Amino acid sequence: VQLVESGGGLVQAGGSLRLSCAASGDTICISNMGWFRQAPGKERELVADITSDDNTYYADSVKGRFTISRDNPKNTVYLQMNSLKPEDTAVYYCNANGNFCPGYVGSWGQGTQVTVSS
């Protein structure tokens, strides 16, 4: 499974961005898709996650501001980010995982930079 992200960039505080992540390859192996982020000097953290039947999880820091969604026919997951704050600045990584296929341990995208200026 390969993941390709898009949609990062520079935005002022209070602004919005929408990230996209398209999966290709053995997408039948995927159950959950999600977004992680890593700021300089910090560990990678889970931001939001969505299951194949659209159950979602959000980190407390983004609840009410970010929305994760997926388009299963397009094998694409989105992260709508509103009311962005400077502390949201990070490299955002798409992740896919699942246990439908023996030996599949998950996939990561290459990362997309999100920078929020104050």
Side-chain angles (χ1 to χ4, degrees):
V1 176
Q2 294 78 44
L3 304 175
V4 177
E5 301 133 338
S6 61
L10 173 64
V11 65
Q12 289 188 333
S16 299
L17 284 173
R18 188 192 194 207
L19 305 182
S20 300
C21 172
S24 61
D26 292 329
T27 57
I28 195 172
C29 299
I30 298 172
S31 58
N32 290 18
M33 297 188 76
W35 292 93
F36 287 70
R37 67 186 181 188
Q38 188 166 19
K42 295 188 176 181
E43 293 187 353
R44 191 173 296 189
E45 62 174 355
L46 176 62
V47 175
D49 183 79
I50 185 166
T51 66
S52 55
D53 53 357
D54 289 340
N55 291 313
T56 57
Y57 162 86
Y58 295 96
D60 288 343
S61 58
V62 307
K63 281 182 181 176
R65 300 188 298 121
F66 290 10
T67 302
I68 190 170
S69 61
R70 68 192 285 175
D71 184 333
N72 288 326
K74 294 184 178 179
N75 296 308
T76 300
V77 64
Y78 305 97
L79 186 67
Q80 177 66 44
M81 305 184 294
N82 298 328
S83 302
L84 282 161
K85 304 175 181 180
E87 51 264 43
D88 294 317
T89 295
V91 178
Y92 283 69
Y93 296 92
C94 180
N95 173 264
N97 61 78
N99 55 8
F100 298 146
C101 300
Y104 178 60
V105 297
S107 305
W108 290 94
Q110 79 282 3
T112 185
Q113 178 70 46
V114 171
T115 303
V116 184
S117 63
S118 57

